Amino acid sequence: MAEKGEWNQNDEGAQEEEEELDETAYKSAKDAVLFAIEVNESMLRPPPTSGSKKDDRDTAVSAALKCAYALMQQRIISNPNDMMGMMLFGTELSKFQGEEQNSRGGLAYPHCYLLADLDIPAAGDVKVLKALIEDEEESRKVLVPSKEPVSMANLLFCANQVFTTKAPNFSSRRLFIVTDNDNPHAHDKALRSAAAVRAKDLYDLGVIIELFPISRPDHEFDRSKFYDDIIYRASPSDPDAPAPTASAARASSTGDGISLLNSLLSSINSKAVAKRALFSNLPLEIGPGFKISVKGYILFKRQEPKRSCYVWLNGEKAQIAKGVSTQMAEDTARTVEKGEIKKAYKFGGEQVVFTPEEIGSLRNFGDPVIRIIGFKPMSMLPIWASLKQSTFIYPSEEDYVGSTRVFSALQQKLLKDEKMGIAWFIARKNAAPVIAALLPGAEKLDEYGQQIIPAGMWIVPLPYADDIRQNPETTLIRAPDSLVDMMRTVVQQLQLPKAQYSPEKYPNPALQWHYRILQAMALEEDLPDKPDDKTIPKYKQIDKRAGAYVTDWGVELEQQYQAWRKDNRPGPGSTTTLAKRPAAATPTDGGVPKKAKTHAAAGSSDGISDEEMREHYNKNTVTKLTVAALRSWMSRKSLDTSGKKTELVERVEGYFEDK
């Protein structure tokens, strides 16, 4: 998480740059993950065969190791500063940091085997883990369950030592426990109590314990028997209540159907990225003197390949070259010091110079805050009003005790009444103020009970008047009901599962291809032939489900188009009040010039009728009328005829909207 006070960094860079939120700390925050995989008879038992080609032949231990291998492959490139470690518990062999197998020197942790110490993974670590997965001889030597039960207190204390020695200053440290044993100390209260104490020590250290339970066909994993005592997190509704937890992955009873590996991968991927605060302990002011503190998170962020760097190869070993830029005077080539430089803005051809203090005072709109200034129905927020990336906010108890309960009450009330808050939002010191919508968000779970979106609130920046541009002039032709009804059938046939888009099903093909090439080169593997692009449409399925409907719609479209052309074809010598006329209305030789003819048409008789104006309004072609035609019609309706054409069009449209 970001450190307290990160939002109000008062350094020189923050004073000079204020347009975008500083995401440096968000990007560079380090994460340390230690896998703890239990090895016992049931975890090593393969599922029974069913004769199907889709047989799931992975044991629970093998599936967990493959998950860790996949995560290590992914993060070794995408998150090169993060640490990963691998520990097996319940094994006959024992091994800790710097020890050989079964060593009892120093701190001994019986039946805990540190397969890979917590460190930044290198290509060699990936190869070792891959060898354990693929080499049966090596796995038979290491993956031997112990005859004695392992102490969970011992495991948690071992993890404590690993995090303390290897990642003492990491902002995010997490322990992933994969097991199918929901009650390891069923008949020993002392061991249960000791495990709870060790778990509390880990939480005090800042380590989060994540459980990935596995249910068997004949046994449903029950958290309440043991793990509810050692795994607890605050939820937005009540700080003392546990947060929603992941559902158990299921081993197949026949080896067919959904794979245990896929189920575990889905569960682990949902928690693979640590929650890193974009800003911490920002005051949320609900009323005068009534404040709580919140943290802000970026839940959706576009992932891009890491920037390439320059490497110097002329030394004993390759070194990363760091660039340094200096500013020089154009006339003398003298290096210009930073204190000699001032900022200036052009105004009327002149350079208006400002000192850094003056720039700072111009940008100072007060301390960072989210100040609610009113409430509106959520229906009043148009879809186009989202100007920039939204920020998810969540309560924090660090500055104001009771923030969680107040935040939860506000979120639930807004959600129940379908209201939104309108807030004055200053993200950090010297940042430009933003008018934002404060939207309540309900928790969303997938079909397996995995949390997709947490419960909380969203800050949606709204546009100012200066940010809105003039709409382009367009001619709208409304489709007849028959075309709309036929297209509705096509859309229904091509709907996504459950009529919603699932991002986890569509990895970025360019990004994954980039990582796959790097991985193959680093691990000395064969280069793949082509990328696995899951965004390519499945044309055969589309044709099978909707091909006939699309063909019928195309035939109907052609018929409706020909009928429309017949009805809207201008006759010889016909005139129009549109500013741009078709070629058929071009005057013949000896006729009135184009400009003069327009005025003549506008001034002839009484101008356009009410029915014609309403037709233009329905077709959204009022903007095509000339100013003279608009003013002629508006004067008959006693409407104000002053101003530019856009103002006249607004008054005409407002006239029909109010009727």
Side-chain angles (χ1 to χ4, degrees), residues 26 32 137 149 155 166 184 205 239 247 290 305 343 364 367 389 457 492 511 520 556 565-566 602 621 648:
Y26 175 81
E137 182 179 349
L155 167 68
K166 288 294 184 177
L205 190 64
S247 61
F290 184 16
K343 286 196 172 184
N364 185 13
D367 293 330
Q389 186 178 29
M457 287 195 281
Q492 290 172 349
L511 189 66
E556 179 69 16
R565 283 191 61 186
K566 183 178 180 181
T621 57
L648 301 179

Short mmCIF file of all heavy atoms in Angstrom, two decimals, residues 26 32 137 149 155 166 184 205 239 247 290 305 343 364 367 389 457 492 511 520 556 565-566 602 621 648:
data_model
loop_
_atom_site.label_atom_id
_atom_site.label_comp_id
_atom_site.label_asym_id
_atom_site.label_seq_id
_atom_site.Cartn_x
_atom_site.Cartn_y
_atom_site.Cartn_z
N TYR A 26 2.59 4.02 -7.35
CA TYR A 26 1.66 2.93 -7.65
C TYR A 26 2.33 1.87 -8.51
O TYR A 26 2.17 0.69 -8.31
CB TYR A 26 0.44 3.48 -8.38
CG TYR A 26 -0.53 2.43 -8.84
CD1 TYR A 26 -1.46 1.87 -7.95
CD2 TYR A 26 -0.52 1.96 -10.14
CE1 TYR A 26 -2.35 0.91 -8.36
CE2 TYR A 26 -1.40 0.99 -10.56
CZ TYR A 26 -2.32 0.48 -9.66
OH TYR A 26 -3.19 -0.49 -10.07
N ALA A 32 5.61 -9.24 -2.54
CA ALA A 32 6.28 -10.51 -2.24
C ALA A 32 5.22 -11.57 -1.97
O ALA A 32 4.36 -11.38 -1.12
CB ALA A 32 7.21 -10.35 -1.04
N GLU A 137 11.06 -38.54 -11.36
CA GLU A 137 12.02 -39.03 -10.36
C GLU A 137 12.27 -37.98 -9.28
O GLU A 137 12.31 -38.29 -8.09
CB GLU A 137 13.34 -39.39 -11.06
CG GLU A 137 14.39 -39.96 -10.11
CD GLU A 137 15.66 -40.34 -10.84
OE1 GLU A 137 15.68 -40.37 -12.09
OE2 GLU A 137 16.66 -40.61 -10.13
N PRO A 149 1.74 -35.44 11.45
CA PRO A 149 1.07 -34.21 10.99
C PRO A 149 1.96 -32.99 11.19
O PRO A 149 2.72 -32.91 12.17
CB PRO A 149 -0.19 -34.14 11.87
CG PRO A 149 0.15 -34.93 13.09
CD PRO A 149 1.08 -36.03 12.64
N LEU A 155 4.50 -23.83 10.50
CA LEU A 155 4.49 -23.33 9.12
C LEU A 155 4.39 -21.81 9.10
O LEU A 155 5.15 -21.13 8.38
CB LEU A 155 3.32 -23.94 8.36
CG LEU A 155 2.98 -23.28 7.01
CD1 LEU A 155 4.08 -23.54 6.00
CD2 LEU A 155 1.63 -23.77 6.49
N LYS A 166 13.82 -11.78 4.09
CA LYS A 166 13.97 -11.57 2.65
C LYS A 166 13.22 -10.33 2.13
O LYS A 166 13.62 -9.75 1.12
CB LYS A 166 13.47 -12.81 1.89
CG LYS A 166 14.40 -14.01 2.00
CD LYS A 166 15.73 -13.72 1.32
CE LYS A 166 16.64 -14.93 1.33
NZ LYS A 166 17.90 -14.66 0.59
N PRO A 184 -6.70 -29.21 10.27
CA PRO A 184 -5.43 -29.90 10.52
C PRO A 184 -5.22 -30.28 11.99
O PRO A 184 -4.46 -31.20 12.27
CB PRO A 184 -4.39 -28.88 10.05
CG PRO A 184 -5.06 -27.56 10.09
CD PRO A 184 -6.50 -27.83 9.80
N LEU A 205 2.76 -8.04 11.24
CA LEU A 205 3.93 -7.75 10.40
C LEU A 205 3.52 -7.14 9.07
O LEU A 205 4.35 -6.60 8.33
CB LEU A 205 4.72 -9.05 10.17
CG LEU A 205 6.10 -8.96 9.53
CD1 LEU A 205 7.06 -8.19 10.43
CD2 LEU A 205 6.64 -10.34 9.23
N PRO A 239 -15.97 -3.53 10.16
CA PRO A 239 -14.53 -3.82 10.27
C PRO A 239 -14.23 -5.09 11.04
O PRO A 239 -13.15 -5.64 10.92
CB PRO A 239 -13.99 -2.57 11.01
CG PRO A 239 -15.17 -1.98 11.70
CD PRO A 239 -16.36 -2.30 10.84
N SER A 247 -14.37 -19.10 -3.20
CA SER A 247 -14.93 -20.44 -3.09
C SER A 247 -13.86 -21.48 -3.33
O SER A 247 -12.82 -21.20 -3.93
CB SER A 247 -16.06 -20.61 -4.10
OG SER A 247 -15.56 -20.44 -5.41
N PHE A 290 -17.43 17.14 9.40
CA PHE A 290 -17.74 15.70 9.40
C PHE A 290 -16.88 15.04 8.32
O PHE A 290 -17.21 15.09 7.13
CB PHE A 290 -19.23 15.49 9.13
CG PHE A 290 -19.68 14.05 9.20
CD1 PHE A 290 -18.89 13.07 9.81
CD2 PHE A 290 -20.89 13.67 8.67
CE1 PHE A 290 -19.30 11.77 9.87
CE2 PHE A 290 -21.32 12.37 8.73
CZ PHE A 290 -20.51 11.41 9.33
N PRO A 305 3.89 -3.42 -22.39
CA PRO A 305 5.21 -4.01 -22.18
C PRO A 305 6.14 -3.04 -21.46
O PRO A 305 6.05 -1.82 -21.64
CB PRO A 305 5.71 -4.29 -23.61
CG PRO A 305 4.47 -4.35 -24.44
CD PRO A 305 3.50 -3.41 -23.81
N LYS A 343 9.57 29.93 -15.74
CA LYS A 343 8.49 29.56 -16.65
C LYS A 343 7.81 30.80 -17.19
O LYS A 343 7.65 31.79 -16.46
CB LYS A 343 7.48 28.66 -15.95
CG LYS A 343 7.98 27.24 -15.74
CD LYS A 343 6.85 26.31 -15.41
CE LYS A 343 7.33 24.87 -15.38
NZ LYS A 343 6.22 23.92 -15.15
N ASN A 364 -2.68 26.62 -6.33
CA ASN A 364 -3.11 26.18 -5.00
C ASN A 364 -4.61 26.47 -4.81
O ASN A 364 -5.02 27.62 -4.65
CB ASN A 364 -2.29 26.89 -3.92
CG ASN A 364 -2.63 26.39 -2.54
OD1 ASN A 364 -3.30 25.36 -2.38
ND2 ASN A 364 -2.16 27.08 -1.53
N ASP A 367 -6.21 22.29 0.28
CA ASP A 367 -5.65 20.98 0.60
C ASP A 367 -6.40 19.88 -0.13
O ASP A 367 -7.58 20.03 -0.47
CB ASP A 367 -5.72 20.73 2.11
CG ASP A 367 -4.81 21.68 2.88
OD1 ASP A 367 -3.78 22.09 2.31
OD2 ASP A 367 -5.15 22.01 4.04
N GLN A 389 -10.12 8.58 -16.23
CA GLN A 389 -10.20 7.29 -15.56
C GLN A 389 -10.82 7.43 -14.17
O GLN A 389 -10.50 8.34 -13.42
CB GLN A 389 -8.80 6.69 -15.44
CG GLN A 389 -8.76 5.29 -14.87
CD GLN A 389 -7.35 4.75 -14.82
OE1 GLN A 389 -6.40 5.50 -14.67
NE2 GLN A 389 -7.20 3.45 -14.93
N MET A 457 -17.07 2.75 -3.51
CA MET A 457 -17.56 3.88 -4.30
C MET A 457 -16.52 4.28 -5.33
O MET A 457 -15.32 4.04 -5.17
CB MET A 457 -17.91 5.07 -3.39
CG MET A 457 -19.19 4.84 -2.59
SD MET A 457 -19.88 6.34 -1.85
CE MET A 457 -18.83 6.50 -0.42
N GLN A 492 -29.66 -10.71 -30.47
CA GLN A 492 -29.95 -11.74 -29.47
C GLN A 492 -29.19 -13.03 -29.76
O GLN A 492 -28.74 -13.71 -28.84
CB GLN A 492 -31.46 -12.00 -29.42
CG GLN A 492 -32.27 -10.86 -28.82
CD GLN A 492 -33.76 -11.07 -28.97
OE1 GLN A 492 -34.21 -11.96 -29.69
NE2 GLN A 492 -34.54 -10.23 -28.28
N LEU A 511 0.36 -8.08 -26.01
CA LEU A 511 1.14 -8.14 -24.78
C LEU A 511 1.59 -9.57 -24.49
O LEU A 511 2.76 -9.82 -24.14
CB LEU A 511 0.29 -7.60 -23.63
CG LEU A 511 0.99 -7.38 -22.29
CD1 LEU A 511 2.01 -6.27 -22.41
CD2 LEU A 511 -0.03 -7.04 -21.21
N ALA A 520 10.52 -17.38 -24.06
CA ALA A 520 11.18 -18.43 -24.83
C ALA A 520 12.68 -18.16 -24.97
O ALA A 520 13.51 -19.09 -24.88
CB ALA A 520 10.54 -18.54 -26.21
N GLU A 556 -34.03 -7.18 -46.55
CA GLU A 556 -34.99 -6.18 -46.09
C GLU A 556 -34.41 -4.77 -46.16
O GLU A 556 -35.11 -3.80 -46.52
CB GLU A 556 -35.42 -6.51 -44.67
CG GLU A 556 -36.41 -5.52 -44.05
CD GLU A 556 -37.78 -5.58 -44.69
OE1 GLU A 556 -38.06 -6.57 -45.41
OE2 GLU A 556 -38.57 -4.64 -44.48
N ARG A 565 -35.54 5.86 -51.21
CA ARG A 565 -35.06 6.67 -52.34
C ARG A 565 -36.23 7.15 -53.21
O ARG A 565 -36.26 8.28 -53.68
CB ARG A 565 -34.10 5.86 -53.20
CG ARG A 565 -32.70 5.71 -52.61
CD ARG A 565 -31.75 5.13 -53.62
NE ARG A 565 -31.64 6.01 -54.79
CZ ARG A 565 -30.95 5.69 -55.90
NH1 ARG A 565 -30.36 4.51 -55.99
NH2 ARG A 565 -30.87 6.52 -56.90
N LYS A 566 -37.20 6.25 -53.38
CA LYS A 566 -38.36 6.62 -54.20
C LYS A 566 -39.16 7.73 -53.56
O LYS A 566 -39.62 8.67 -54.22
CB LYS A 566 -39.23 5.38 -54.40
CG LYS A 566 -40.43 5.61 -55.30
CD LYS A 566 -41.22 4.33 -55.49
CE LYS A 566 -42.43 4.57 -56.39
NZ LYS A 566 -43.22 3.32 -56.57
N ALA A 602 -36.35 31.43 -49.16
CA ALA A 602 -36.62 31.70 -47.74
C ALA A 602 -37.66 32.79 -47.59
O ALA A 602 -38.45 32.79 -46.64
CB ALA A 602 -35.31 32.10 -47.04
N THR A 621 -32.42 17.40 -38.55
CA THR A 621 -31.82 18.19 -39.63
C THR A 621 -32.10 19.68 -39.48
O THR A 621 -32.03 20.43 -40.46
CB THR A 621 -32.36 17.70 -41.00
OG1 THR A 621 -33.79 17.79 -41.00
CG2 THR A 621 -31.93 16.28 -41.28
N LEU A 648 -29.92 29.67 -32.35
CA LEU A 648 -31.25 29.56 -32.96
C LEU A 648 -31.72 28.10 -32.99
O LEU A 648 -32.87 27.80 -32.69
CB LEU A 648 -31.23 30.13 -34.38
CG LEU A 648 -30.82 31.61 -34.54
CD1 LEU A 648 -30.83 32.00 -36.01
CD2 LEU A 648 -31.74 32.53 -33.75
#
